[in-house]
Amino acid sequence: MSNPSLAAIAQQCDGAHKDGDGWRAKCPVHRGQSDTSLHLWEEDGQVRVHCFAGCERKAILDALSVERIRHEPRYQALYTYHDAHGNLLFQVVRASGPKKAFFQRRPHPTEPGKWLNDMKGILPVLYHLPEILKAIPTGVTIYLVEGEKDVETLRMHGLTGTCNPMGAGKWLDQYSQALKDATVILLPDNDAAGRAHADLVTTRLAGYVHSLRRLDLPGLPDAGDVTDWLQAGHTIEELTALTQQQKPAITAPHMVIRSFADIPTERIEWLWDPYIPYGKLTIVEGDPGLGKTFLLLALATALSRKAGLPAQRGGLTTPAQTPMTTLYITAEDGYADTLVPRARDLGADLHYLKAVFGWTTNDTDIQPFSLAQVTLLEEAIRDCQAKCIILDPLQAFLGADVDMHRANEVRPLLMQLGMVAAAQRCAVVAIRHWNKQAGGKATYRGQGSIDFTAAARSVLAIGESPEDETVRVLAQSKNSLAPLGRSQMFRILDGRFEWCGSTEIDADTLAQVQPQKRQHQRHNAMEWLKAYLRQGPQLSTAVIVSAEAVGLSERTLNRAKAALGVLSAREGKEWFWRLPAFQEWDRYPGQDDVDEDDA
């Protein structure tokens, strides 16, 4: 006996109507009031049925007088996804068997009726997307759950639901865009993955939805969901009542206005008085290579060891009663080869220094951190109970699409960073490099927009002391919360950090003398190198060692070499330097003057 057509079988049921490639109708077994509980479709030439109320397939086929397939069905449930225009994109298939297993498949592009078990070339969408897009403008509440089974359960009770494909933790940006301006009720599954997924979705929907309420259903068993909850005897009316009692986790953007009279005043608190305030943004800036990173590692070390910091009137500030945690985010130095060894050598309790490597949704594909993930940063600060956040350097974390010279692009990110600092009562300290402008006021020496300086409540400049090239000066160029702090000096020798007392050198003086000092150092190096090479070609390694002996760094020596046009040539395996006017070098025929780095 052959089965009649799918349409003829479906039309035996009340309320039968087309639904995508199949039919929906009232189930002939339990005869519920909903017309969406029974799903009928064809697959591999056979009629398939599924009742979302839980009726047995055998009973349904018997009621419809459909010849049953002798072998077990290949699929336990089939969920079809459509694009915004109603075109079939792909299906999520729950395979038959004792274990819960899903896979995705798409229509074969050239062979109608056949399927390919992959998602190649398919952009995932929300389940029942066309229905969702029609419902949002009318103000219909969208119930957001974790799986397609729960969506169908809610639809059977007359509610509008959706989920993302492929389960927990797989939320994509296009899903947030599809729910723009929606009123959302989020119903997490009662397990760790379900709660983490709900946290992720709440974070990603901020700024998109009109409102979002999260309802953790009471009385759910472990790993239970809304389907289990309703099958346990709870009702839609009870669900609605519980939802209305929940305070929205997200609401549509709106202006918040309060009278000055209703705003309680707060006393400014300091991580380091008066240089680094809590709840605000502090910028530490200066030329590269002057010890900004070392200084902040020394700060983190002091926090981890409950040690004091230099005070205004000499001595040290009163140390904290407990060690403090620092979150360090860097785009320049490596943690393993540079920052951790330095912090260890400084004597830090490394348990209180936390490295931020980036962000991820699956613990494997780590994405670089930027201020676009400031919400995730706030969560990390809260989780680690961090009191100091270091961004090294700040401009590396603005994001690829942000122009650091445009105030309208920089200011919103800095405002969000400041709001995080205020909300978590922590100090955010960001490193910024100086530009190449010679002299001038320290306020205008930082790279990028002046809005960096405007957004910060404290700006600290670091430079070489004009009196001692081994000493660095930390001078405050801006303090919006208190008078400018007294300039402090420090020294870094052989990996050791030490404070050297205070000085009268202010930030503007420091900014003005830096280019002069560099120029003076290079001039001295050029004079020394000319005198050293006047006797003829010299072994390059010997030149470097001799320069170090008189206090010239290799970097300064190389700058002097370039300025003088000193030439390099190789004899055998050795490199020699010579002044360009020295002709005796030509006794080595065939040896062209080249740069050692190019050899």
Side-chain angles (χ1 to χ4, degrees), residues 231-448:
Q231 289 178 349
H234 298 283
T235 64
I236 292 299
E237 291 73 21
E238 187 178 352
L239 176 65
T240 302
L242 287 170
T243 299
Q244 292 174 347
Q245 296 171 13
Q246 293 298 118
K247 183 179 179 181
I250 299 174
T251 56
H254 59 280
M255 298 296 291
V256 178
I257 300 175
R258 298 172 66 187
S259 167
F260 271 32
D262 298 328
I263 303 174
T265 58
E266 295 180 352
R267 183 174 62 88
I268 298 297
E269 296 181 346
W270 301 89
L271 178 72
W272 180 18
D273 185 8
Y275 306 100
I276 301 178
Y278 281 121
K280 311 292 180 182
L281 171 64
T282 298
I283 291 179
V284 177
E285 55 188 24
D287 286 326
L290 291 182
K292 297 185 292 296
T293 297
F294 234 116
L295 171 70
L296 295 186
L297 279 176
L299 170 67
T301 296
L303 298 179
S304 75
R305 296 174 52 192
K306 300 185 296 182
L309 294 163
Q312 284 278 77
R313 300 179 180 274
L316 298 177
T317 59
T318 302
Q321 295 181 352
T322 58
M324 296 184 186
T325 296
T326 298
L327 283 186
Y328 206 110
I329 314 173
T330 184
E332 293 192 341
D333 293 307
Y335 290 111
D337 58 15
T338 302
L339 296 181
V340 172
R342 281 185 183 177
R344 184 179 57 239
D345 292 344
L346 289 170
D349 185 335
L350 300 182
H351 295 93
Y352 290 94
L353 274 67
K354 309 289 187 181
V356 176
F357 286 91
W359 64 276
T360 183
T361 60
N362 56 19
D363 295 329
T364 55
D365 301 323
I366 298 178
Q367 304 297 320
F369 169 77
S370 76
L371 292 182
Q373 289 83 41
V374 70
T375 302
L376 296 180
L377 174 61
E378 184 169 11
E379 292 176 359
I381 294 170
R382 184 168 54 246
D383 292 343
C384 296
Q385 298 183 334
K387 301 303 292 181
C388 180
I389 318 304
I390 296 174
L391 296 167
D392 182 7
L394 176 58
Q395 53 264 40
F397 305 108
L398 298 178
D401 298 329
V402 176
D403 185 342
M404 65 183 294
H405 299 281
R406 297 178 67 89
N408 64 320
E409 296 183 18
V410 167
R411 178 53 73 97
L413 293 176
L414 298 181
M415 288 180 63
Q416 291 181 48
L417 192 59
M419 291 171 65
V420 168
Q424 299 303 318
R425 300 306 299 168
C426 65
V428 176
V429 185
I431 288 178
R432 182 169 68 145
H433 297 314
W434 269 351
N435 57 39
K436 296 181 179 180
Q437 172 185 335
K441 294 178 67 65
T443 303
Y444 302 102
R445 286 296 310 278
Q447 290 182 355

Side-chain angles (χ1 to χ4, degrees), residues 36-353:
T36 63
S37 59
L38 180 63
H39 183 198
L40 305 95
W41 73 97
E42 281 188 326
E43 187 174 307
D44 298 332
Q46 302 291 343
V47 174
R48 308 289 190 187
V49 294
H50 178 72
C51 177
F52 289 99
C55 297
E56 292 186 2
R57 186 177 64 88
K58 176 180 180 300
I60 299 171
L61 294 175
D62 285 343
L64 296 175
S65 299
V66 177
E67 182 181 358
R68 294 190 299 277
I69 307 169
R70 294 186 181 277
H71 58 78
E72 285 296 315
R74 295 174 59 193
Y75 310 123
Q76 192 176 107
L78 192 67
Y79 306 104
T80 303
Y81 282 72
H82 300 85
D83 66 16
H85 305 290
N87 302 311
L88 189 154
L89 287 177
F90 63 95
Q91 291 180 331
V92 172
V93 183
R94 179 168 181 173
S96 296
K99 293 186 177 181
K100 185 177 179 180
F102 294 86
F103 65 91
Q104 297 78 41
R105 68 180 192 177
R106 60 185 172 92
H108 197 291
T110 59
E111 300 182 36
K114 292 189 176 182
W115 298 84
L116 297 173
N117 294 342
D118 60 49
M119 291 284 286
K120 185 176 181 181
I122 300 296
L123 180 67
V125 297
L126 291 175
Y127 191 38
H128 290 304
L129 179 62
E131 178 181 336
I132 299 303
L133 295 178
K134 290 178 182 178
I136 291 174
T138 66
V140 172
T141 298
I142 309 299
Y143 286 81
L144 185 56
V145 291
E146 190 175 315
E148 295 89 355
K149 177 195 68 173
D150 294 331
V151 173
E152 297 302 336
T153 296
L154 294 171
R155 294 179 83 228
M156 186 176 68
H157 287 83
L159 302 178
T160 301
T162 190
C163 66
N164 61 279
M166 304 172 208
K170 300 299 190 296
W171 190 264
L172 302 177
D173 289 341
Q174 60 260 32
Y175 306 151
S176 300
Q177 185 62 46
L179 290 173
K180 185 172 177 58
D181 299 327
T183 299
V184 176
I185 305 297
L186 180 60
L187 302 176
D189 286 2
N190 187 30
D191 55 24
R195 289 185 287 273
H197 180 67
D199 292 342
L200 172 66
V201 170
T202 300
T203 299
R204 298 293 179 83
L205 286 178
Y208 287 95
V209 298
H210 175 72
S211 68
L212 181 146
R213 284 180 168 87
R214 171 175 172 168
L215 176 58
D216 293 278
L217 293 168
L220 270 183
D222 290 343
D225 51 36
V226 67
T227 300
D228 300 320
W229 192 76
L230 291 169
Q231 289 178 349
H234 298 283
T235 64
I236 292 299
E237 291 73 21
E238 187 178 352
L239 176 65
T240 302
L242 287 170
T243 299
Q244 292 174 347
Q245 296 171 13
Q246 293 298 118
K247 183 179 179 181
I250 299 174
T251 56
H254 59 280
M255 298 296 291
V256 178
I257 300 175
R258 298 172 66 187
S259 167
F260 271 32
D262 298 328
I263 303 174
T265 58
E266 295 180 352
R267 183 174 62 88
I268 298 297
E269 296 181 346
W270 301 89
L271 178 72
W272 180 18
D273 185 8
Y275 306 100
I276 301 178
Y278 281 121
K280 311 292 180 182
L281 171 64
T282 298
I283 291 179
V284 177
E285 55 188 24
D287 286 326
L290 291 182
K292 297 185 292 296
T293 297
F294 234 116
L295 171 70
L296 295 186
L297 279 176
L299 170 67
T301 296
L303 298 179
S304 75
R305 296 174 52 192
K306 300 185 296 182
L309 294 163
Q312 284 278 77
R313 300 179 180 274
L316 298 177
T317 59
T318 302
Q321 295 181 352
T322 58
M324 296 184 186
T325 296
T326 298
L327 283 186
Y328 206 110
I329 314 173
T330 184
E332 293 192 341
D333 293 307
Y335 290 111
D337 58 15
T338 302
L339 296 181
V340 172
R342 281 185 183 177
R344 184 179 57 239
D345 292 344
L346 289 170
D349 185 335
L350 300 182
H351 295 93
Y352 290 94
L353 274 67

Side-chain angles (χ1 to χ4, degrees), residues 489-559:
M489 296 184 293
F490 63 92
R491 179 184 285 115
I492 303 167
L493 291 176
D494 299 326
R496 298 191 308 274
F497 181 96
E498 62 179 31
W499 294 104
C500 304
S502 60
T503 176
E504 296 297 328
I505 300 171
D506 60 23
D508 287 341
T509 301
L510 199 64
Q512 290 168 6
V513 302
Q514 293 308 294
Q516 297 174 9
K517 185 168 182 62
R518 289 196 302 272
Q519 183 177 3
H520 178 68
Q521 289 175 333
R522 189 175 70 174
H523 174 75
N524 288 344
M526 290 170 62
E527 292 299 317
W528 179 88
L529 186 57
K530 281 194 295 185
Y532 194 92
L533 297 180
R534 280 199 182 101
Q535 303 303 316
Q538 303 293 329
L539 191 64
S540 62
T541 53
V543 178
I544 294 171
V545 171
S546 298
E548 290 179 351
V550 297
L552 294 178
S553 68
E554 187 172 352
R555 177 186 295 181
T556 302
L557 182 66
N558 284 329
R559 288 173 178 167

